[in-house]
Amino acid sequence: MRILLFAFFALLFSSNCLSQTKTQTTILNKFITAHNKGTEKAISTFIKDTYHPDVYKRINLQEHISFYNQIVNEFGPLNYVVYKTVKTTSDRYVVHLIKQGENTNNQYIKPDDILVVKLDISKDNNRFMPHGLGLGSLTCELRKE
């Protein structure tokens, strides 16, 4: 009986974790798609679809689009395959992405060419982010340490 109870709780926990990771991956893929299209419409749609509705009402959309466009211009198209997963929790997902066409097995990519993406999930609705993505090159992250 104990084994069945343990197995039930393990299954429940793992299915919840997989669901959460799927949500984070979905948002990340929406970002990469908008980034790779690089149009104002694609970025605007990404923001509308992923920002928490309360946050979306308060933001200056043009400022957010400009920020994302700056990242598009600096990094160019991104690879959909995550180069490195740094952190995965129920409310935070931090990954490194590299340029499209780069080999994800290459361990010698310059930190300037690695985009750090910090994605937080809203506690009241896990389909949305409570604010925008944290984005920057790995070089900036290494300077902070």
Side-chain angles (χ1 to χ4, degrees):
M1 183 68 172
R2 280 185 171 174
I3 293 173
L4 285 176
L5 192 58
F6 176 76
F8 173 74
F9 282 115
L11 180 64
L12 185 65
F13 178 75
S14 65
S15 65
N16 187 32
C17 290
L18 289 174
S19 170
Q20 190 65 33
T21 302
K22 183 179 180 201
T23 300
Q24 294 165 336
T25 302
T26 299
I27 292 173
L28 181 65
N29 286 338
K30 285 181 180 182
F31 161 69
I32 296 170
T33 298
H35 175 95
N36 288 352
K37 285 182 180 176
T39 65
E40 189 169 311
K41 182 178 181 192
I43 294 169
S44 176
T45 301
F46 164 74
I47 292 170
K48 186 173 185 188
D49 291 348
T50 61
Y51 280 36
H52 193 282
D54 294 338
V55 174
Y56 182 77
K57 291 176 194 173
R58 295 188 313 245
I59 66 167
N60 180 327
L61 185 59
Q62 275 312 122
E63 284 181 6
H64 283 258
I65 291 171
S66 294
F67 170 73
Y68 286 108
N69 271 328
Q70 178 183 350
I71 301 299
V72 168
N73 293 331
E74 287 179 20
F75 284 90
L78 297 171
N79 196 330
Y80 278 92
V81 178
V82 171
Y83 181 64
K84 179 180 179 185
T85 301
V86 178
K87 183 176 186 176
T88 303
T89 65
S90 62
D91 61 344
R92 182 157 256 217
Y93 190 47
V94 181
V95 296
H96 293 172
L97 299 176
I98 56 176
K99 294 178 181 182
Q100 195 173 54
E102 284 282 346
N103 183 346
T104 56
N105 294 322
N106 181 358
Q107 297 299 311
Y108 303 104
I109 296 176
K110 296 183 296 184
D112 285 347
D113 293 334
I114 298 173
L115 178 65
V116 179
V117 179
K118 296 179 180 175
L119 188 159
D120 293 324
I121 298 294
S122 177
K123 292 183 186 340
D124 65 328
N125 189 334
N126 70 358
R127 295 182 323 125
F128 299 110
M129 299 182 298
H131 47 77
L133 294 174
L135 301 170
S137 78
L138 182 58
T139 300
C140 296
E141 288 289 309
L142 295 174
R143 286 184 191 152
K144 290 179 187 177
E145 295 174 357

